[in-house]
Amino acid sequence: MEEIEIENVAKRSIRGVVALVYRTFTIQIIGLVANFLLTVFLSPSIFGIFFVVSAAIAFLSYFSDIGLAAALIQKKEAITEEDLRTTFTIQQILVASVVLLALGLSGFVKSFYSLDDQGILLFQALVVSFFLSSLKTIPSIILERNLRFEKLVIPQIVENLFFYAIAVVLAAKGFGVASFTFAVLARGIAGVITIYIINPWRIGFGFQKVSAKRLLSFGLPFQANSVLALIKDDLLIVYLGRVLPLAQVGYIGFAQKWAFFPLRLIMDNVIRITFPSFARLQNDKEVFRKAIEKSIFAACFLIFPALMGLVVLAPYFIHLIPKYIKWEPAILSLSFFAINAALSSISTPLTNALNAIGKIKITLYLMVFWTVSTWVITPLAIMMFGFNGVSYASAFIALSVVFVIFISKRFIKFTVFRILINPFLAAIFMGGVIYFLSPLVVKNIIMLILMIIFGAVVYFSTMFALAKNEILSDIRFVRENLKK
């Protein structure tokens, strides 16, 4: 089994970031155009059926992996064929159980969601697609462990092309819900074929007790983290829907979505790269330290100014669009959710690093703390401050980044203040400048766009003045590692 050399980690990581950004941009463009066309050809009820049954399958997927993929990626030693076959066997047993359960519950799902025959066929197609997706796991793990993201993104793009092309064509021909049914199956088949062309792996079953025990010791706590995140975030929304008027839940969702947008856009790609990268570097402490510092700096360098600009300009953006004035009550929550997002850009790479060096139980304890804190503090904050209390609690709990830093320093020697001070000061300065000039934006979309551009110029100019040598060094480093 191929194992990546330390000296190639930086090169492949940087190329991986470029590949993931390209994938994200490509898929977003494809999805934007396709969804516009689908909204022309299909009714809202058909979209509702697709989203509901997709969510049901997504929930079942939590029980189909138990963290074994992450365990293989994190493993310090080279992975063996026994590891791969053991993982594949355990996963297929779980997947088969979920598939049989889902198919057996088809009647219940049909009556619960009041689906017609076409709707239940879509549900069953998603179940089949779920099984096909499980066949891609091992080839994907091998590519991800070796940081070959430029290859890994190809099946994802192919899947989206097949899905949207078939869905749009069939929707235009009046197939209705069946448009999604055929598109889902085509996506699953195309994805499996593409991944095995790019990275062939002979499917085989096997079980080695020692390998299974070692992988599960990491995989189970890792998956427990995901389940706790589900309880902390998604179930909290269900609770909010019971204790708050739906309009106020809407304000919370609006504020959280926009405040977390820069975080999701940047951190999701950073996490995808840094986890396998950190795992490959865990034996070289000095290189590992530099990698962590660079990843935190890169995240904060981009996220801090995006959040600052969002908070300062949001009130003006809302008033520019007449139908957006209804979201004005969400502005205060937006500011406090932005604090959470800013602090998460520090804590997320650190918990990712702890996972990469095998300290999964520590991150599990942290997730337990965050879950319990969320469910204790949020209801109290709602009682005291109303719906804005949700964002207050979110910002307060995010201050626990101090503990994450302290715990991480026990295992990894890195600096924090030096990394954060320049992006923080530059973002504050940029925020002050655009706040002073923001009255010019009132009811003028052109001025808003110019203000965003001006804010970016102010921020990057300030950063260049504060950290010229470091920025130039990083640019040279990226350029050198992008060369073939």
Side-chain angles (χ1 to χ4, degrees):
M1 196 65 59
E2 177 195 3
E3 283 296 309
I4 182 173
E5 300 294 335
I6 292 294
E7 58 267 22
N8 289 324
V9 171
K11 184 183 295 290
R12 292 192 184 181
S13 297
I14 291 171
R15 290 181 179 177
V17 170
V18 173
L20 287 177
V21 169
Y22 172 76
R23 177 211 62 178
T24 301
F25 178 78
T26 303
I27 290 176
Q28 288 294 328
I29 294 297
I30 294 171
L32 183 65
V33 174
N35 278 304
F36 170 74
L37 293 173
L38 288 171
T39 56
V40 172
F41 300 130
L42 299 175
S43 67
S45 62
I46 291 176
F47 271 94
I49 292 171
F50 178 67
F51 288 130
V52 165
V53 296
S54 296
I57 297 298
F59 175 77
L60 292 174
S61 69
Y62 275 93
F63 308 98
S64 67
D65 179 71
I66 59 174
L68 291 175
L72 281 176
I73 294 169
Q74 184 277 332
K75 188 183 176 187
K76 184 182 297 186
E77 303 82 14
I79 55 175
T80 64
E81 191 63 26
E82 287 75 18
D83 291 330
L84 296 177
R85 293 187 183 278
T86 298
T87 298
F88 184 76
T89 300
I90 295 174
Q91 185 194 37
Q92 289 308 304
I93 292 172
L94 293 170
V95 167
S97 302
V98 171
V99 166
L100 291 174
L101 175 65
L103 293 176
L105 290 174
S106 293
F108 170 78
V109 172
K110 181 178 181 179
S111 60
F112 186 82
Y113 289 114
S114 301
L115 300 176
D116 58 14
D117 290 340
Q118 290 295 318
I120 203 62
L121 281 175
L122 172 59
F123 174 78
Q124 292 167 346
L126 282 163
V127 172
V128 174
S129 177
F130 168 68
F131 164 71
L132 292 172
S133 180
S134 72
L135 299 178
K136 301 186 301 179
T137 300
I138 299 302
S140 299
I141 288 171
I142 296 170
L143 289 174
E144 189 165 346
R145 181 178 170 88
N146 291 301
L147 308 177
R148 303 313 299 256
F149 287 93
E150 75 280 5
K151 293 183 177 181
L152 190 58
V153 300
I154 295 173
Q156 297 166 353
I157 294 173
V158 169
E159 286 176 339
N160 278 271
L161 283 171
F162 268 80
F163 176 80
Y164 284 118
I166 291 174
V168 168
V169 170
L170 294 182
K173 291 183 177 294
F175 276 68
V177 174
S179 306
F180 287 123
T181 303
F182 287 110
V184 161
L185 291 173
R187 178 179 62 187
I189 295 169
V192 171
I193 293 173
T194 306
I195 193 70
Y196 276 90
I197 290 174
I198 291 172
N199 190 47
W201 179 73
R202 179 178 291 181
I203 292 178
F205 294 91
F207 185 82
Q208 189 182 71
K209 185 176 180 180
V210 174
S211 176
K213 183 178 180 181
R214 182 173 59 247
L215 293 171
L216 289 171
S217 67
F218 179 92
L220 288 175
F222 187 91
Q223 193 67 6
N225 267 313
S226 299
V227 174
L228 284 172
L230 176 73
I231 296 171
K232 179 174 72 73
D233 299 324
D234 295 347
L235 288 187
L236 181 68
I237 302 299
V238 175
Y239 165 77
L240 295 177
R242 295 287 295 178
V243 300
L244 291 173
L246 290 179
Q248 293 185 1
V249 177
Y251 295 145
I252 294 167
F254 175 89
Q256 190 178 67
K257 177 181 178 180
W258 281 105
F260 286 3
F261 179 74
L263 187 71
R264 294 280 67 83
L265 184 65
I266 297 166
M267 287 308 301
D268 284 354
N269 288 332
V270 170
I271 290 171
R272 189 76 187 273
I273 293 292
T274 55
F275 177 58
S277 298
F278 288 166
R280 302 288 72 74
L281 296 172
Q282 59 183 300
N283 291 324
D284 192 324
K285 293 184 179 181
E286 180 59 21
V287 177
F288 187 41
R289 176 189 66 79
K290 290 181 180 179
I292 292 172
E293 292 180 352
K294 291 296 183 184
S295 65
I296 296 175
F297 176 78
C300 296
F301 178 78
L302 297 172
I303 290 173
F304 282 8
L307 291 172
M308 180 60 71
L310 183 66
V311 169
V312 174
L313 294 176
Y316 300 94
F317 178 77
I318 284 175
H319 283 88
L320 274 173
I321 304 174
K323 291 186 177 181
Y324 250 53
I325 294 177
K326 62 188 175 185
W327 297 111
E328 189 171 23
I331 290 177
L332 184 59
S333 287
L334 173 67
S335 300
F336 279 89
F337 278 128
I339 294 173
N340 178 303
L343 296 176
S344 295
S345 68
I346 304 168
S347 62
T348 302
L350 291 177
T351 54
N352 212 27
L354 289 172
N355 285 340
I357 61 175
K359 304 301 178 182
I360 186 65
K361 290 184 179 180
I362 291 176
T363 59
L364 178 60
Y365 296 149
L366 286 170
M367 184 57 75
V368 170
F369 167 75
W370 287 324
T371 303
V372 172
S373 298
T374 297
W375 278 92
V376 171
I377 296 174
T378 301
L380 293 175
I382 291 173
M383 292 173 59
M384 296 173 63
F385 306 107
F387 78 89
N388 281 317
V390 178
S391 63
Y392 300 163
S394 174
F396 179 75
I397 294 168
L399 294 173
S400 61
V401 66
V402 175
F403 299 109
V404 178
I405 293 171
F406 176 77
I407 292 170
S408 300
K409 278 182 169 290
R410 291 172 52 196
F411 306 99
I412 312 158
K413 303 301 179 184
F414 64 97
T415 58
V416 179
F417 181 79
R418 181 180 61 80
I419 301 171
L420 301 179
I421 187 61
N422 290 331
F424 176 76
L425 291 176
I428 291 293
F429 179 68
M430 180 204 75
V433 171
I434 60 177
Y435 179 77
F436 177 75
L437 297 175
S438 55
L440 299 174
V441 175
V442 177
K443 295 184 179 180
N444 191 325
I445 187 68
I446 301 299
M447 287 302 298
L448 175 63
I449 295 171
L450 291 175
M451 189 65 68
I452 293 171
I453 296 172
F454 179 71
V457 171
V458 169
Y459 174 76
F460 290 116
S461 299
T462 306
M463 277 298 300
F464 195 76
L466 293 173
K468 176 182 176 181
N469 293 335
E470 184 176 1
I471 292 174
L472 289 176
S473 174
D474 288 344
I475 292 174
R476 284 194 298 269
F477 179 74
V478 171
R479 290 178 61 184
E480 290 171 0
N481 282 284
L482 284 176
K483 294 177 182 177
K484 292 185 179 180

